[in-house]
Amino acid sequence: DAGVTQSPTHLIKTRGQQVTLRCSPKSGHDTVSWYQQALGQGPQFIFQYYEEEERQRGNFPDRFSGHQFPNYSSELNVNALLLGDSALYLCASRPGTGLFSTEAFFGQGTRLTVV
Amino acid sequence: AQRVTQPEKLLSVFKGAPVELKCNYSYSGSPELFWYVQYSRQRLQLLLRHISRESIKGFTADLNKGETSFHLKKPFAQEEDSAMYYCALVARAGSYQLTFGKGTKLSVIP
């Protein structure tokens, strides 16, 4: 099991552009969450997907949107990129058992640089 | 809104010395508390959670609801403990939202 995989690993975009990041959850997991980690900060929750629907959302603008596919993989889309969107974007998966204390497994992240 | 505070950005200790990484939280309810660790060039991974009341790699953490703290402790630090440590909480049942602190970098000096 490769665990949670994210692509691409690094990305450079220009301000105003749009970007799509991808995540494949760990085998057997059906819940995917996305986090933004700015330099020197802890990860910040963006949103969580389960059964192809956004179930919970953090304090992020509508420029941040996502999608979950029937195979449980997920995409994070960011429109109208700002310099402040430069960060490491982490994907985390876990089984949707309803037990919130279950372990979240994280991917290696995608490093997004906006210039 | 919930908040997690880790007051130390960097903590340096000598090998064999005791380690305590501090974590304080603010939340009016009864959260679930976790410690996540990130070793160099590795992904973020769960170290321990308070409901398990277990010791992992010699680390323990006790939830003190009165002081709203969840400090991570180890009696004798090892070089392989050098890593970034994040304290996190989940605020309510049914939520998957982890709220993280800013992290503490632990450096164990040989």
Side-chain angles (χ1 to χ4, degrees), chain A residues 1-111:
Chain A
D1 180 16
V4 180
T5 57
Q6 292 186 241
S7 63
T9 53
H10 296 84
L11 203 51
I12 299 175
K13 288 286 189 178
T14 303
R15 191 172 47 182
Q17 284 188 315
Q18 178 263 344
V19 69
T20 297
L21 311 181
R22 295 177 175 82
C23 171
S24 291
K26 183 177 169 63
S27 177
H29 289 185
D30 54 9
T31 299
V32 173
S33 301
W34 286 91
Y35 290 80
Q36 181 195 65
Q37 186 173 19
L39 205 58
Q41 305 292 316
Q44 266 197 294
F45 177 79
I46 303 175
F47 42 53
Q48 174 232 330
Y49 277 82
Y50 172 64
E51 292 185 332
E52 302 179 49
E53 286 189 21
E54 182 183 297
R55 301 289 179 165
Q56 209 174 347
R57 189 177 184 93
N59 190 25
F60 278 79
D62 292 345
R63 297 187 298 108
F64 290 77
S65 63
H67 190 76
Q68 185 178 35
F69 299 94
N71 66 353
Y72 310 125
S73 66
S74 177
E75 286 181 351
L76 164 65
N77 300 293
V78 187
N79 294 322
L81 283 166
L82 303 173
L83 296 179
D85 295 331
S86 295
L88 181 68
Y89 288 85
L90 296 169
C91 173
S93 74
R94 69 178 91 203
T97 62
L99 299 175
F100 64 95
S101 59
T102 55
E103 178 179 354
F105 286 80
F106 283 84
Q108 289 276 31
T110 294
R111 172 74 61 189

Side-chain angles (χ1 to χ4, degrees), chain B residues 41-54:
Chain B
R41 297 188 185 88
Q42 293 188 28
R43 60 190 66 193
L44 197 60
Q45 59 186 284
L46 178 67
L47 180 62
L48 53 79
R49 69 198 91 181
H50 92 268
I51 61 167
S52 301
R53 305 182 71 81
E54 57 195 346

Side-chain angles (χ1 to χ4, degrees), chain B residues 76-88:
Chain B
F76 308 103
Q78 303 298 316
E79 288 179 64
E80 55 265 30
D81 296 329
S82 295
M84 197 73 188
Y85 291 81
Y86 294 94
C87 182

Side-chain angles (χ1 to χ4, degrees), chain B residues 5-80:
Chain B
T5 302
Q6 294 180 249
E8 304 135 330
K9 288 183 77 171
L10 174 65
L11 182 65
S12 296
V13 301
F14 285 100
K15 178 181 174 181
V19 175
E20 183 178 46
L21 300 169
K22 290 184 166 50
C23 172
N24 289 91
Y25 67 90
S26 62
Y27 180 63
S28 57
S30 295
E32 291 286 346
L33 273 297
F34 306 81
W35 277 99
Y36 278 80
V37 61
Q38 187 167 28
Y39 300 102
S40 179
R41 297 188 185 88
Q42 293 188 28
R43 60 190 66 193
L44 197 60
Q45 59 186 284
L46 178 67
L47 180 62
L48 53 79
R49 69 198 91 181
H50 92 268
I51 61 167
S52 301
R53 305 182 71 81
E54 57 195 346
S55 172
I56 303 292
K57 299 183 179 182
F59 284 98
T60 59
D62 290 319
L63 179 60
N64 185 322
K65 292 186 178 181
E67 296 182 359
T68 59
S69 68
F70 188 55
H71 302 328
L72 184 67
K73 299 176 183 178
K74 185 171 182 176
F76 308 103
Q78 303 298 316
E79 288 179 64
E80 55 265 30

